[in-house]
Amino acid sequence: MFTGIIESVGIVRSIDKSGTNLDFTIESPISDELKIDQSVAHNGVCLTVVELGEGWHKVTAVEETLIKTNLGELKIADTANLERCMIANGRFDGHIVQGHVDQTAKCTNRIEKDGSWIFDFEYDSGPGNVTVEKGSICINGISLTCFNSTDSSFSVTIIPFTMDHTNFGTLQIGHTVNLEFDIIGKYVSKLLNKN
């Protein structure tokens, strides 16, 4: 389980194809603290560390993950938001994040305000894929609060710290992001729509 509080931004150093899978070698400040078989969220996707080196780690994304997330679009030198699993006695600063991406969304607008930025996103509405005004949403692994919530779109406001310490700073109109909808909202939606 994760919280959506990004620990570090990693840089993609190599991408190797292995059948229908892709192996990503990521350089990051936390790589030396990782262990083989540890779960780490990369842009909100829970992946297993399969190899370690000095200042880098390797993870594998299977075909289904590449289809359902933006990991298949990563290129050499791109960045990925990283978060290790929450420790049992840690503070719960974000919200409950499973590392299971529900779908991707497109950035449709980016507006610079005086000291912050507003980003708009569109996604495919469907059972369980819901946002609510002032509710939680996880974008590329980042726990955020959404507003202007509709059946297929929402907005978030990004503060300078988040722009500087995640890959939101590189996000432009037309870019694809990973979405994980709030787990509580998904269960409530399923119960309400149960036949």
Side-chain angles (χ1 to χ4, degrees):
M1 188 173 72
F2 305 92
T3 67
I5 304 300
I6 302 305
E7 289 186 77
S8 173
V9 174
I11 302 171
V12 179
R13 291 305 185 199
S14 70
I15 304 172
D16 300 300
K17 193 165 178 60
S18 177
T20 59
N21 303 335
L22 288 181
D23 295 327
F24 295 95
T25 299
I26 308 291
E27 179 185 317
S28 82
I30 66 169
S31 293
D32 288 335
E33 301 174 39
L34 303 179
K35 297 177 181 176
I36 299 290
D37 202 30
Q38 186 172 2
S39 295
V40 179
H42 294 69
N43 278 352
V45 183
C46 181
L47 298 173
T48 302
V49 176
V50 296
E51 192 176 333
L52 290 168
E54 190 173 338
W56 61 267
H57 66 277
K58 184 180 286 187
V59 292
T60 300
V62 298
E63 184 178 26
E64 177 75 3
T65 300
L66 298 170
I67 292 169
K68 295 282 179 70
T69 73
N70 65 6
L71 295 187
E73 298 177 11
L74 287 178
K75 303 178 292 299
I76 303 297
D78 280 352
T79 57
N81 296 323
L82 304 178
E83 182 191 359
R84 289 173 284 183
C85 290
M86 180 182 176
I87 57 175
N89 65 345
R91 292 187 184 277
F92 216 117
D93 290 327
H95 73 279
I96 299 171
V97 176
Q98 296 182 298
H100 304 159
V101 171
D102 293 302
Q103 65 168 266
T104 58
K106 290 286 184 188
C107 178
T108 58
N109 203 13
R110 172 182 165 145
I111 303 168
E112 187 170 350
K113 307 292 275 184
D114 187 16
S116 64
W117 291 259
I118 295 176
F119 287 83
D120 299 332
F121 296 95
E122 287 186 357
Y123 64 94
D124 294 327
S125 61
N129 296 338
V130 296
T131 61
V132 295
E133 199 71 12
K134 303 298 186 283
S136 296
I137 186 73
C138 189
I139 302 176
N140 276 356
I142 307 166
S143 174
L144 295 165
T145 301
C146 58
F147 64 98
N148 293 337
S149 175
T150 74
D151 288 342
S152 60
S153 66
F154 64 90
S155 303
V156 294
T157 299
I158 303 299
I159 62 172
F161 184 89
T162 304
M163 288 291 277
D164 294 340
H165 292 88
T166 72
N167 61 12
F168 243 101
T170 63
L171 188 62
Q172 301 294 328
I173 295 171
H175 283 184
T176 303
V177 297
N178 294 326
L179 294 185
E180 182 181 328
F181 296 95
D182 181 55
I183 185 65
I184 297 170
K186 287 192 284 190
Y187 276 112
V188 170
S189 176
K190 184 170 179 65
L191 287 171
L192 291 175
N193 293 306
K194 195 172 183 181
N195 292 329

